[in-house]
């Protein structure tokens, strides 16, 4: 039986609208208008559910909960996603924080010299799209870094961005030793690590596939170069974070809170960031910080079937 969409004008309008037009409309909304739009979506989805139930195709709430809590949804180590609910939408996450500095650029082609000349950072955090020899990169395809190799990550000018300070790097098991070697190469020493224990909405372990064991955590290695950053406050937080999974490749808000307590009023930089990583008082560099795809010059090359100019390509390291 077909869904009687003519009886559901709100749903029909939403389905008919172009994605680009909807996005432009959303970005023009203030917080109150955005809340109203979200309410319309919730009401429309409720209408759809009522219609499905009328047609005898209703979904049991318990089945939805079990599906959303199923183990192994992530599939590949380092890829973080789960089924969500419209009830979880937060209008604040749709807005660009007013005091953040997003830099929309491909990190492999970005001219870092101006940023290096402008300031030195107390804390740098990055979540590289690690390339695996036997699988897709952990999130490289989505970010446009599908050919990024270990050597290309090693070529990032991290030592020039930070004379003294802390470096936080999210790492997967297969790249743990490489990351330790990378610290040596860049002139850093390993000083600590943070473990994120990933939880479901029902506070169960959010397990994903692993070669030997199922994985329910991610590790962020902490390294130091030179001296501790000015004003650093040691012992202010735990090295274990219990937090729900959020958007794709989105790290928990607690890691930012921990860094900001550890180095209050510091200069913070995140590399390989996305729109859902933007945060007040952070500089975020990445080719998806706008949430609208790659930088213009990259997209023109992709649309033309060409490689991104000056981007790095090659075999996985």
């Amino acid at each position: 039986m077909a869904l009687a969409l003519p009886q559901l004008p709100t749903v029909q309008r939403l389905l008919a609208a172009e994605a680009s037009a909807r996005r432009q409309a959303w970005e023009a909304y203030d917080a109150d208008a955005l809340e109203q739009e979200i309410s319309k979506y919730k009401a429309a989805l409720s209408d759809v559910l009522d219609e499905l139930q009328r047609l005898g195709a209703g979904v049991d709430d318990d089945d939805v909960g079990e599906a959303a809590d199923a183990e192994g949804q992530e599939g590949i180590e380092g890829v973080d996603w789960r089924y969500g609910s419209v009830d979880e939408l937060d209008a604040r996450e749709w807005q660009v924080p007013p005091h953040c500095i997003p830099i929309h650029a491909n990190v492999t082609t970005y001219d870092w010299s101006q940023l290096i000349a402008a300031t030195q950072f107390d804390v740098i955090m990055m979540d590289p799209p690690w390339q695996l020899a036997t699988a897709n990169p952990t999130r490289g395809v989505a970010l446009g870094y599908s050919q990024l190799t270990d050597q290309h990550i090693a070529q990032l000018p991290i030592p020039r961005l930070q004379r003294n300070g802390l470096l936080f790097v999210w790492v997967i098991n297969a790249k743990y030793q490489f990351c330790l070697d990378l610290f040596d190469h860049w002139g850093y020493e390993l000083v600590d690590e943070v473990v994120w224990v990933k939880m479901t909405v029902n506070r169960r372990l959010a397990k994903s596939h692993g070669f030997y064991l199922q994985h329910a955590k991610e590790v962020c290695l902490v390294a130091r170069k030179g001296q501790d950053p000015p004003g650093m406050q040691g012992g202010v937080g735990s090295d274990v974070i219990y937090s729900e999974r959020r958007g794709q490749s989105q790290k928990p808000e607690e890691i930012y809170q921990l860094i900001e307590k550890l180095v209050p009023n510091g200069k913070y930089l995140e590399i390989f960031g996305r729109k859902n990583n933007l945060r007040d008082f952070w500089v975020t560099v990445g080719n998806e910080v706008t949430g609208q795809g790659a930088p213009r010059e990259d997209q023109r090359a992709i649309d033309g079937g060409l490689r991104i100019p000056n981007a790095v390509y090659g075999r996985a390291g």
Side-chain angles (χ1 to χ4, degrees), residues 179-247:
C179 200
L180 295 179
D181 294 339
L182 190 58
F183 290 159
D184 289 337
H185 173 69
W186 282 343
Y188 287 78
E189 61 173 338
L190 179 70
V191 294
D192 219 322
E193 69 177 24
V194 179
V195 175
W196 170 27
V197 179
K198 293 188 280 189
M199 313 296 290
T200 69
V201 292
N202 294 327
R203 306 303 293 173
R204 301 176 186 172
L205 288 179
K207 300 174 185 176
S208 65
H209 299 304
F211 188 80
Y212 294 105
L213 303 172
Q214 292 179 330
H215 296 160
K217 65 174 175 60
E218 288 192 33
V219 175
C220 184
L221 300 181
V222 185
R224 184 186 67 175
K225 179 186 176 187
Q227 303 298 315
D228 290 336
M232 194 188 84
Q233 304 290 324
V236 296
S238 172
D239 61 351
V240 178
I241 294 172
Y242 291 90
S243 181
E244 293 179 12
R245 293 176 300 189
R246 301 168 71 192

Side-chain angles (χ1 to χ4, degrees), residues 51-235:
E51 181 71 6
L52 287 172
Q53 290 174 339
R54 186 186 71 78
L55 296 172
V59 180
D60 187 87
D61 289 341
D62 292 337
D63 292 338
V64 173
E66 290 177 6
D69 233 12
E71 296 179 359
Q73 286 180 333
E74 294 170 304
I76 302 174
E77 183 186 3
V79 175
D80 184 26
W81 67 275
R82 64 177 173 80
Y83 296 112
S85 165
V86 70
D87 294 325
E88 299 174 23
L89 290 175
D90 185 345
R92 292 171 299 180
E93 294 189 359
W94 294 32
Q95 303 292 314
V96 175
H99 303 296
C100 71
I101 303 177
I103 298 177
H104 191 206
N106 185 320
V107 303
T108 65
T109 60
Y110 176 58
D111 182 3
W112 292 92
S113 60
Q114 293 185 19
L115 190 59
I116 293 169
T119 190
Q120 291 284 294
F121 290 93
D122 300 310
V123 179
I124 299 174
M125 181 168 68
M126 65 178 185
D127 179 21
W130 297 109
Q131 177 74 272
L132 299 177
T134 58
N136 290 328
T138 54
R139 62 186 181 116
V141 173
L143 283 174
Y145 299 123
S146 60
Q147 298 296 324
L148 193 70
T149 69
D150 292 349
Q151 286 71 28
H152 302 135
I153 294 173
Q155 291 169 5
L156 292 173
I158 302 300
R160 297 169 57 204
L161 288 160
Q162 191 173 57
R163 296 189 193 93
N164 299 285
L166 300 176
L167 174 62
F168 289 69
V169 180
W170 292 95
V171 65
I172 59 177
N173 287 354
K175 299 299 180 181
Y176 201 103
Q177 185 58 54
F178 170 77
C179 200
L180 295 179
D181 294 339
L182 190 58
F183 290 159
D184 289 337
H185 173 69
W186 282 343
Y188 287 78
E189 61 173 338
L190 179 70
V191 294
D192 219 322
E193 69 177 24
V194 179
V195 175
W196 170 27
V197 179
K198 293 188 280 189
M199 313 296 290
T200 69
V201 292
N202 294 327
R203 306 303 293 173
R204 301 176 186 172
L205 288 179
K207 300 174 185 176
S208 65
H209 299 304
F211 188 80
Y212 294 105
L213 303 172
Q214 292 179 330
H215 296 160
K217 65 174 175 60
E218 288 192 33
V219 175
C220 184
L221 300 181
V222 185
R224 184 186 67 175
K225 179 186 176 187
Q227 303 298 315
D228 290 336
M232 194 188 84
Q233 304 290 324

Side-chain angles (χ1 to χ4, degrees), residues 5 8-26 29 37 41:
L5 282 178
L8 304 173
T10 303
V11 175
Q12 193 173 35
R13 174 180 59 81
L14 294 174
L15 291 176
E18 289 291 336
S20 59
R22 290 200 304 269
R23 183 171 62 240
Q24 290 175 1
W26 289 337
Y29 291 153
E37 188 71 9
Y41 264 82

